[in-house]
């Protein structure tokens, strides 16, 4: 999809809301801070060279500080939704304005804001129309925008750390290649 019409946004959102409402699982919140720290710990254990970059370290510190400020938006979650987990334009098929998702290997119970963030990363789309359509089709969620932003930051950090790992000399990174994410 290269042109997201309002009709297509609504069709996609309706499909996504059906998925997210199809099955729920109780939870006692998500410790989003732990996910950021786990990502960093993984690199410390497997590719410490990646974290020797002063700019990356400064960025990580700022991200963790930001995440701590909005942790309540995640710890207040009472239900996890069944999500696609890798929702980007490459995994969305459209035929005559009918939307289907493919590549379900990352499907799981999690925060549905992850699926919204996935599309925002992969496709320029009118964010306001997208969020409004989702909020109209789903239950109102006052923390959705904040959670999507944090998931975007998490995905961006993951991408940045992976790209930094790729930039290392092959002789350095092959030592840890078997443990890459």
């Amino acid at each position: 999809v290269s042109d997201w019409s309002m009709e297509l946004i609504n069709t996609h959102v309706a499909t996504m809301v059906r998925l997210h409402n199809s099955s729920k699982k109780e939870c006692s919140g998500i410790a989003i801070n732990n996910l950021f720290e786990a990502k960093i710990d993984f690199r410390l254990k497997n590719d410490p060279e990646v974290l020797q970059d002063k700019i990356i370290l400064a960025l990580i510190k700022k991200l963790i500080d930001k995440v701590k400020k909005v942790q309540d938006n995640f710890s207040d979650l009472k239900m996890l939704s069944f999500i696609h987990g890798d929702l980007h334009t490459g995994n969305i098929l459209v035929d005559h304005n009918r939307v289907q998702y493919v590549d379900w290997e990352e499907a799981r119970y999690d925060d549905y804001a992850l699926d919204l963030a996935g599309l925002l990363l992969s496709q320029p789309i009118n964010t306001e129309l997208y969020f409004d359509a989702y909020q109209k089709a789903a239950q109102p969620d006052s923390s959705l925008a904040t959670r999507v932003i944090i998931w975007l930051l998490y995905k961006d950090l993951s991408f940045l750390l992976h790209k930094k790992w790729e930039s290392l000399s092959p002789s350095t990174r092959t030592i840890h290649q078997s443990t890459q994410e």
Side-chain angles (χ1 to χ4, degrees):
V1 177
S2 59
D3 182 28
W4 284 86
S5 68
M6 196 64 229
E7 183 180 8
L8 184 54
I9 288 172
N10 285 328
T11 302
H12 162 65
V13 163
T15 303
M16 196 169 31
V17 168
R18 273 194 312 277
L19 169 66
H20 295 160
N21 288 333
S22 68
S23 183
K24 304 260 185 188
K25 181 178 172 182
E26 286 188 31
C27 74
S28 56
I30 297 173
I32 189 76
N33 210 33
N34 292 349
L35 295 175
F36 277 79
E37 290 170 2
K39 178 71 66 180
I40 294 158
D41 285 348
F42 175 88
R43 290 297 176 189
L44 279 172
K45 290 176 188 162
N46 297 293
D47 305 302
E49 306 87 357
V50 169
L51 298 175
Q52 291 175 1
D53 185 308
K54 290 179 185 176
I55 293 173
I56 288 177
L57 288 174
L59 175 63
I60 288 170
K61 183 183 177 340
K62 285 187 179 275
L63 286 176
I64 288 177
D65 289 346
K66 174 70 174 169
V67 167
K68 286 179 182 176
K69 290 177 184 173
V70 298
Q71 175 59 50
D72 289 349
N73 292 285
F74 292 88
S75 56
D76 289 345
L77 289 174
K78 302 294 181 233
M79 300 295 280
L80 298 177
S81 296
F82 188 70
I83 68 166
H84 183 278
D86 191 23
L87 202 52
H88 58 78
T89 53
N91 288 338
I92 302 172
L93 302 178
V94 178
D95 183 32
H96 297 91
N97 216 37
R98 193 173 121 225
V99 174
Q100 291 188 317
Y101 303 141
V102 296
D103 190 9
W104 289 88
E105 65 189 34
E106 292 187 36
R108 63 188 179 277
Y109 287 95
D110 212 324
D111 180 5
Y112 60 86
L114 259 168
D115 277 348
L116 279 83
L119 180 63
L120 290 174
L121 275 176
S122 71
Q123 179 70 42
I125 190 169
N126 184 316
T127 308
E128 188 174 340
L129 292 176
Y130 183 52
F131 271 77
D132 285 349
Y134 194 91
Q135 291 284 39
K136 285 177 186 169
Q139 298 286 329
D141 183 343
S142 60
S143 69
L144 179 61
T146 300
R147 294 193 334 269
V148 168
I149 290 167
I150 296 302
W151 285 121
L152 287 167
L153 293 173
Y154 178 79
K155 287 176 171 277
D156 281 346
L157 174 64
S158 299
F159 181 76
L160 175 66
L161 293 176
H162 182 74
K163 287 298 178 186
K164 181 65 180 181
W165 174 82
E166 284 183 336
S167 75
L168 298 172
S169 80
S171 62
T172 303
R173 70 174 193 230
T174 52
I175 297 168
H176 309 292
Q177 196 165 14
S178 64
T179 60
Q180 93 174 353
E181 297 174 19

